[in-house]
Amino acid sequence: MQTLVNVFRPLIQALFLRNEAYEEMREDPNPFVKGLVLIVVVAVLFSLVGIVGNALEWATTPNLDRIQEVVWREVREGPWFEEIPPAERAEALAVTEQFYNIGWRIAKAFAPSPLSAAIGVITNPVALIIGWLIYGFLAHIFARLLGGTGNLGQTYGTTALAVSPRILNLVTLLPYAAVGGVAGTWALICNYLALKNAHRLTPARAFWATILPFVTLFVLVSLLGALGVAIVSSLIQGGWSS
Protein backbone atom coordinates (compact mmCIF):
# COMPACT_ATOMS: atom_id res chain seq x y z
CA MET A 1 0.00 0.00 0.00
CA GLN A 2 2.82 2.36 0.91
CA THR A 3 4.45 1.60 -2.44
CA LEU A 4 1.33 2.72 -4.31
CA VAL A 5 1.24 5.89 -2.24
CA ASN A 6 4.87 6.59 -3.12
CA VAL A 7 4.08 6.06 -6.80
CA PHE A 8 0.95 8.17 -6.98
CA ARG A 9 1.92 10.99 -4.63
CA PRO A 10 4.33 12.66 -7.10
CA LEU A 11 1.90 11.98 -9.93
CA ILE A 12 -0.93 13.75 -8.12
CA GLN A 13 1.38 16.64 -7.26
CA ALA A 14 2.53 16.86 -10.88
CA LEU A 15 -1.06 16.70 -12.10
CA PHE A 16 -1.82 19.80 -10.05
CA LEU A 17 1.36 21.44 -11.38
CA ARG A 18 3.13 21.49 -8.02
CA ASN A 19 6.80 22.41 -8.44
CA GLU A 20 7.88 20.25 -5.51
CA ALA A 21 7.09 17.09 -7.47
CA TYR A 22 9.60 18.05 -10.14
CA GLU A 23 12.16 19.29 -7.63
CA GLU A 24 11.92 16.05 -5.68
CA MET A 25 12.39 14.03 -8.87
CA ARG A 26 15.36 16.18 -9.84
CA GLU A 27 17.08 15.41 -6.54
CA ASP A 28 16.25 11.70 -6.60
CA PRO A 29 19.36 9.45 -6.64
CA ASN A 30 18.09 7.59 -9.72
CA PRO A 31 15.46 9.70 -11.48
CA PHE A 32 15.57 7.69 -14.72
CA VAL A 33 14.59 4.41 -13.05
CA LYS A 34 11.94 6.10 -10.93
CA GLY A 35 10.51 7.80 -14.01
CA LEU A 36 10.47 4.52 -15.93
CA VAL A 37 8.60 2.80 -13.10
CA LEU A 38 6.03 5.61 -13.02
CA ILE A 39 5.38 5.34 -16.73
CA VAL A 40 5.00 1.55 -16.70
CA VAL A 41 2.71 1.55 -13.65
CA VAL A 42 0.48 4.30 -15.02
CA ALA A 43 0.31 2.78 -18.51
CA VAL A 44 -0.55 -0.71 -17.26
CA LEU A 45 -3.03 0.49 -14.65
CA PHE A 46 -5.01 2.69 -16.98
CA SER A 47 -4.86 0.14 -19.77
CA LEU A 48 -6.58 -2.24 -17.36
CA VAL A 49 -9.14 0.45 -16.60
CA GLY A 50 -9.61 0.88 -20.33
CA ILE A 51 -10.45 -2.81 -20.68
CA VAL A 52 -13.53 -2.32 -18.51
CA GLY A 53 -14.75 0.72 -20.44
CA ASN A 54 -13.93 -0.91 -23.77
CA ALA A 55 -15.79 -4.07 -22.83
CA LEU A 56 -18.85 -2.03 -21.86
CA GLU A 57 -18.70 -0.19 -25.19
CA TRP A 58 -18.36 -3.49 -27.04
CA ALA A 59 -21.33 -4.94 -25.17
CA THR A 60 -23.54 -1.95 -25.99
CA THR A 61 -22.44 -1.47 -29.61
CA PRO A 62 -24.98 -2.65 -32.22
CA ASN A 63 -24.00 -5.58 -34.43
CA LEU A 64 -21.82 -3.98 -37.10
CA ASP A 65 -22.22 -6.89 -39.52
CA ARG A 66 -25.98 -6.44 -39.41
CA ILE A 67 -25.67 -2.68 -39.93
CA GLN A 68 -23.33 -3.27 -42.87
CA GLU A 69 -25.80 -5.67 -44.44
CA VAL A 70 -28.80 -3.34 -44.01
CA VAL A 71 -26.98 -0.27 -45.32
CA TRP A 72 -25.66 -2.16 -48.34
CA ARG A 73 -29.14 -3.35 -49.20
CA GLU A 74 -30.40 0.23 -49.13
CA VAL A 75 -27.46 1.42 -51.23
CA ARG A 76 -27.93 -1.33 -53.77
CA GLU A 77 -31.64 -0.60 -54.13
CA GLY A 78 -31.13 3.15 -54.41
CA PRO A 79 -32.18 5.19 -57.47
CA TRP A 80 -28.56 5.67 -58.54
CA PHE A 81 -28.40 2.05 -59.66
CA GLU A 82 -31.25 2.49 -62.13
CA GLU A 83 -29.46 5.41 -63.77
CA ILE A 84 -26.51 3.23 -64.77
CA PRO A 85 -26.73 1.64 -68.24
CA PRO A 86 -27.77 -2.03 -67.90
CA ALA A 87 -24.57 -3.26 -69.52
CA GLU A 88 -22.45 -1.51 -66.87
CA ARG A 89 -24.51 -2.27 -63.78
CA ALA A 90 -22.79 -5.49 -62.79
CA GLU A 91 -19.33 -3.94 -62.94
CA ALA A 92 -20.43 -0.76 -61.15
CA LEU A 93 -22.09 -2.78 -58.41
CA ALA A 94 -18.99 -4.95 -57.94
CA VAL A 95 -16.66 -1.95 -57.69
CA THR A 96 -19.00 -0.12 -55.31
CA GLU A 97 -19.33 -3.19 -53.10
CA GLN A 98 -15.56 -3.64 -53.02
CA PHE A 99 -14.92 -0.11 -51.74
CA TYR A 100 -17.91 -0.37 -49.42
CA ASN A 101 -16.50 -3.50 -47.80
CA ILE A 102 -13.05 -1.93 -47.48
CA GLY A 103 -14.59 1.01 -45.64
CA TRP A 104 -16.38 -1.29 -43.25
CA ARG A 105 -13.26 -3.34 -42.60
CA ILE A 106 -11.47 -0.16 -41.59
CA ALA A 107 -14.38 0.90 -39.37
CA LYS A 108 -14.49 -2.49 -37.66
CA ALA A 109 -10.75 -2.34 -36.98
CA PHE A 110 -11.36 0.74 -34.82
CA ALA A 111 -14.49 -0.62 -33.17
CA PRO A 112 -14.22 -1.35 -29.44
CA SER A 113 -13.39 -4.92 -28.48
CA PRO A 114 -12.05 -6.64 -25.35
CA LEU A 115 -9.17 -8.08 -27.41
CA SER A 116 -7.89 -4.70 -28.60
CA ALA A 117 -8.13 -3.35 -25.06
CA ALA A 118 -6.21 -6.35 -23.70
CA ILE A 119 -3.49 -5.88 -26.31
CA GLY A 120 -3.25 -2.27 -25.14
CA VAL A 121 -1.95 -3.49 -21.77
CA ILE A 122 1.26 -4.37 -23.64
CA THR A 123 1.33 -1.81 -26.43
CA ASN A 124 0.46 1.24 -24.32
CA PRO A 125 3.47 0.97 -21.97
CA VAL A 126 5.79 0.27 -24.92
CA ALA A 127 4.46 3.26 -26.86
CA LEU A 128 4.69 5.54 -23.83
CA ILE A 129 8.25 4.47 -23.06
CA ILE A 130 9.41 4.97 -26.65
CA GLY A 131 7.78 8.40 -26.82
CA TRP A 132 9.26 9.35 -23.45
CA LEU A 133 12.77 8.27 -24.47
CA ILE A 134 12.66 10.17 -27.77
CA TYR A 135 11.11 13.32 -26.36
CA GLY A 136 13.31 13.31 -23.26
CA PHE A 137 16.48 12.99 -25.32
CA LEU A 138 15.56 15.84 -27.67
CA ALA A 139 14.31 18.01 -24.81
CA HIS A 140 17.56 17.45 -22.94
CA ILE A 141 19.61 18.54 -25.94
CA PHE A 142 17.60 21.73 -26.41
CA ALA A 143 17.54 22.47 -22.69
CA ARG A 144 21.32 22.20 -22.52
CA LEU A 145 21.71 24.37 -25.62
CA LEU A 146 19.52 26.96 -23.92
CA GLY A 147 21.72 27.02 -20.84
CA GLY A 148 20.20 24.21 -18.78
CA THR A 149 22.19 22.59 -15.99
CA GLY A 150 20.39 19.27 -15.48
CA ASN A 151 21.73 15.90 -16.55
CA LEU A 152 20.00 13.40 -18.83
CA GLY A 153 18.69 11.30 -15.94
CA GLN A 154 17.09 14.35 -14.35
CA THR A 155 15.49 15.27 -17.67
CA TYR A 156 14.02 11.81 -18.05
CA GLY A 157 12.88 11.65 -14.44
CA THR A 158 11.06 14.96 -14.46
CA THR A 159 9.50 14.54 -17.91
CA ALA A 160 8.18 11.14 -16.80
CA LEU A 161 5.83 13.08 -14.53
CA ALA A 162 4.08 14.30 -17.68
CA VAL A 163 2.18 10.99 -17.66
CA SER A 164 0.22 12.31 -14.67
CA PRO A 165 -2.64 13.71 -16.83
CA ARG A 166 -3.39 10.13 -17.83
CA ILE A 167 -5.01 9.83 -14.43
CA LEU A 168 -7.89 11.62 -16.14
CA ASN A 169 -8.38 8.46 -18.20
CA LEU A 170 -10.28 7.05 -15.24
CA VAL A 171 -13.33 8.43 -17.02
CA THR A 172 -12.89 5.68 -19.64
CA LEU A 173 -14.50 3.35 -17.14
CA LEU A 174 -17.69 4.84 -18.55
CA PRO A 175 -18.66 3.63 -22.04
CA TYR A 176 -17.90 6.12 -24.85
CA ALA A 177 -16.24 8.56 -22.42
CA ALA A 178 -13.03 10.22 -23.61
CA VAL A 179 -10.64 12.82 -22.26
CA GLY A 180 -9.83 14.31 -25.66
CA GLY A 181 -7.12 16.92 -26.04
CA VAL A 182 -7.21 18.00 -22.40
CA ALA A 183 -4.68 15.38 -21.33
CA GLY A 184 -2.31 16.28 -24.16
CA THR A 185 -2.35 19.99 -23.33
CA TRP A 186 -1.93 19.23 -19.64
CA ALA A 187 1.02 16.93 -20.40
CA LEU A 188 2.66 19.72 -22.40
CA ILE A 189 2.42 22.03 -19.39
CA CYS A 190 3.87 19.27 -17.20
CA ASN A 191 6.81 18.92 -19.59
CA TYR A 192 7.36 22.66 -19.39
CA LEU A 193 7.53 22.53 -15.60
CA ALA A 194 9.75 19.45 -15.79
CA LEU A 195 12.37 21.12 -17.97
CA LYS A 196 12.13 24.40 -16.08
CA ASN A 197 12.85 22.68 -12.76
CA ALA A 198 15.31 20.06 -13.99
CA HIS A 199 17.50 22.58 -15.82
CA ARG A 200 16.84 25.75 -13.81
CA LEU A 201 15.69 27.51 -16.96
CA THR A 202 13.93 30.84 -17.26
CA PRO A 203 10.25 30.60 -18.33
CA ALA A 204 11.02 31.66 -21.91
CA ARG A 205 13.87 29.18 -22.33
CA ALA A 206 11.84 26.40 -20.71
CA PHE A 207 9.05 27.12 -23.19
CA TRP A 208 11.35 26.69 -26.18
CA ALA A 209 12.98 23.60 -24.70
CA THR A 210 9.49 22.13 -24.39
CA ILE A 211 8.29 23.01 -27.89
CA LEU A 212 11.40 22.48 -30.03
CA PRO A 213 11.40 18.65 -29.73
CA PHE A 214 7.92 18.57 -31.28
CA VAL A 215 9.03 20.94 -34.04
CA THR A 216 12.06 18.75 -34.72
CA LEU A 217 9.98 15.58 -34.87
CA PHE A 218 7.46 17.24 -37.17
CA VAL A 219 10.20 18.35 -39.56
CA LEU A 220 11.83 14.90 -39.55
CA VAL A 221 8.52 13.13 -40.19
CA SER A 222 7.69 15.59 -42.99
CA LEU A 223 11.07 15.04 -44.63
CA LEU A 224 10.76 11.27 -44.36
CA GLY A 225 7.25 11.45 -45.78
CA ALA A 226 8.41 13.58 -48.71
CA LEU A 227 11.31 11.20 -49.31
CA GLY A 228 8.95 8.23 -49.25
CA VAL A 229 6.60 9.88 -51.75
CA ALA A 230 9.54 10.70 -54.02
CA ILE A 231 10.80 7.10 -53.91
CA VAL A 232 7.36 5.65 -54.64
CA SER A 233 6.82 8.13 -57.48
CA SER A 234 10.16 7.26 -59.05
CA LEU A 235 9.41 3.55 -58.81
CA ILE A 236 6.00 4.03 -60.41
CA GLN A 237 7.43 6.15 -63.21
CA GLY A 238 10.20 3.62 -63.73
CA GLY A 239 7.64 0.84 -63.98
CA TRP A 240 5.60 2.76 -66.54
CA SER A 241 8.63 3.65 -68.66
CA SER A 242 9.73 0.04 -68.78
Side-chain angles (χ1 to χ4, degrees):
M1 185 66 181
Q2 186 61 36
T3 302
L4 286 176
V5 171
N6 291 335
V7 169
F8 282 98
R9 181 177 56 81
L11 287 173
I12 296 297
Q13 290 178 334
L15 179 66
F16 288 99
L17 310 179
R18 303 279 295 274
N19 281 311
E20 53 262 38
Y22 302 96
E23 292 171 355
E24 182 180 330
M25 182 65 83
R26 184 183 190 277
E27 301 303 324
D28 192 88
N30 202 336
F32 177 84
V33 173
K34 187 173 182 179
L36 179 61
V37 170
L38 286 177
I39 288 176
V40 172
V41 169
V42 170
V44 171
L45 179 61
F46 291 102
S47 294
L48 293 174
V49 170
I51 289 178
V52 178
N54 202 291
L56 291 173
E57 286 186 28
W58 172 75
T60 56
T61 299
N63 188 305
L64 295 182
D65 291 330
R66 179 59 179 161
I67 295 175
Q68 179 182 358
E69 179 184 340
V70 171
V71 173
W72 173 244
R73 185 170 62 246
E74 294 299 322
V75 170
R76 187 179 55 195
E77 296 175 356
W80 69 276
F81 189 65
E82 300 297 330
E83 298 175 1
I84 301 175
E88 301 176 6
R89 287 180 183 176
E91 182 180 358
L93 189 63
V95 172
T96 303
E97 185 175 14
Q98 180 181 4
F99 282 102
Y100 178 82
N101 290 334
I102 290 174
W104 271 99
R105 280 198 292 270
I106 295 173
K108 290 175 183 178
F110 290 96
S113 71
L115 177 60
S116 63
I119 293 174
V121 176
I122 298 174
T123 58
N124 287 341
V126 172
L128 270 179
I129 290 171
I130 292 174
W132 171 61
L133 291 174
I134 294 173
Y135 177 82
F137 180 73
L138 292 174
H140 179 74
I141 291 175
F142 285 116
R144 295 289 294 191
L145 290 174
L146 290 166
T149 59
N151 59 44
L152 185 58
Q154 291 170 330
T155 301
Y156 275 126
T158 53
T159 54
L161 292 171
V163 300
S164 58
R166 288 184 174 267
I167 294 174
L168 302 175
N169 286 335
L170 278 171
V171 300
T172 59
L173 274 170
L174 303 173
Y176 308 105
V179 176
V182 175
T185 303
W186 211 318
L188 191 64
I189 298 172
C190 290
N191 278 321
Y192 163 80
L193 290 175
L195 296 172
K196 182 174 179 289
N197 283 279
H199 289 273
R200 301 289 194 256
L201 292 171
T202 63
R205 294 189 178 191
F207 170 81
W208 287 113
T210 304
I211 297 299
L212 285 174
F214 293 107
V215 175
T216 302
L217 289 172
F218 175 78
V219 171
L220 287 175
V221 170
S222 299
L223 290 175
L224 289 174
L227 179 62
V229 170
I231 292 174
V232 171
S233 298
S234 64
L235 290 174
I236 292 175
Q237 291 176 357
W240 284 346
S241 61
S242 61

